[in-house]
Amino acid sequence: MNNDIITIDGYTVIHSFFVGEKNVIVAENLKADYRYVCAYLEENGIFSQFTDCALSNDYLEIMTLYCDRAKEQVVKCKEQSIGDKTVITPEMCRALHDGETYKGKVVALKTESLRREYGNAENQLFYADGGNGVNPKGLGTKIFGYNLATKAHHYIRSYDILGVVDKDKLPEWAKPKLAEIKKEIRNKEERRDGR
């Protein structure tokens, strides 16, 4: 959550805990029938909304729910982890050579570009497969590809890249994941080309 004060339907956020996939909040409205709400805050850059709301005038009841929901997010985050809490450092990376692009390479993201719970190797490693940002001299910054640990396809920004990680410097768990991703990409290309 940014540092701005968030108020929705007269309720102002007074507590916020964002870990994993959801931002759990407690908000207060002194003029409402129910003074407190515990909810999830969803933001997309354009608008914000509360979801799965629980209302009460009992602060301790709302805080108990808030703590339960926050702990639930921590547990989910731990369950999704593969357990590699090492960090990819600059010494493990190299810069691109002249004329080289990020496409087809494993890059490491800077830990400061990730939320705290994701600041480790399993969330830093990303296989780049396209986008305007793969060319360092290009105009765009978006690079599409795959998180090596989860194989989720999404985009990163080129300015968040720490460097290229060569195959021999990859953690052991990442090597088979990279092979699986490359195989999936080949299969998609073959289906698309009708082979």
Side-chain angles (χ1 to χ4, degrees):
M1 187 170 106
N2 57 29
N3 292 330
D4 297 334
I5 295 172
I6 295 179
T7 300
I8 299 174
D9 292 335
Y11 283 90
T12 302
V13 175
I14 58 173
H15 299 293
S16 175
F17 181 81
F18 197 166
V19 69
E21 298 173 359
K22 295 194 176 186
N23 188 356
V24 184
I25 62 92
V26 170
E28 180 179 38
N29 182 342
L30 298 173
K31 297 177 183 174
D33 290 340
Y34 294 99
R35 181 174 176 176
Y36 303 105
V37 62
C38 179
Y40 297 110
L41 175 64
E42 294 180 1
E43 299 179 283
N44 67 7
I46 298 171
F47 70 92
S48 302
Q49 69 177 0
F50 295 151
T51 61
D52 199 11
C53 300
L55 298 161
S56 178
N57 285 315
D58 185 337
Y59 181 72
L60 294 179
E61 177 184 28
I62 284 296
M63 287 306 295
T64 300
L65 180 58
Y66 172 75
C67 291
D68 290 346
R69 287 182 176 186
K71 184 174 181 180
E72 182 180 287
Q73 291 308 305
V74 170
V75 169
K76 283 182 181 179
C77 200
K78 283 182 176 182
E79 288 172 350
Q80 293 169 351
S81 171
I82 61 170
D84 185 358
K85 300 304 175 200
T86 60
V87 175
I88 304 295
T89 62
E91 298 77 33
M92 301 167 76
C93 301
R94 67 172 177 81
L96 289 177
H97 303 300
D98 283 340
E100 195 177 17
T101 72
Y102 289 117
K103 186 171 182 166
K105 298 190 178 48
V106 175
V107 297
L109 296 170
K110 299 172 188 171
T111 55
E112 57 269 18
S113 70
L114 301 166
R115 292 208 333 257
R116 286 179 182 89
E117 66 270 28
Y118 297 127
N120 51 51
E122 71 181 75
N123 295 291
Q124 283 181 279
L125 296 173
F126 186 84
Y127 179 75
D129 75 345
N132 292 333
V134 295
N135 183 350
K137 295 180 182 174
L139 294 176
T141 61
K142 275 188 182 178
I143 299 175
F144 292 90
Y146 299 84
N147 171 294
L148 255 60
T150 64
K151 298 193 303 180
H153 191 268
H154 59 96
Y155 74 87
I156 61 170
R157 297 288 185 174
S158 57
Y159 49 77
D160 289 330
I161 292 176
L162 180 64
V164 175
V165 182
D166 290 320
K167 191 173 182 180
D168 61 326
K169 298 225 173 125
L170 285 175
E172 286 305 312
W173 64 262
K175 293 174 184 177
K177 298 271 192 175
L178 177 59
E180 290 171 21
I181 289 168
K182 286 182 174 182
K183 183 178 178 182
E184 285 177 24
I185 292 170
R186 275 193 311 274
N187 290 342
K188 284 180 188 175
E189 288 172 353
E190 288 173 4
R191 285 193 301 271
R192 186 186 65 225
D193 295 341
R195 289 187 243 164

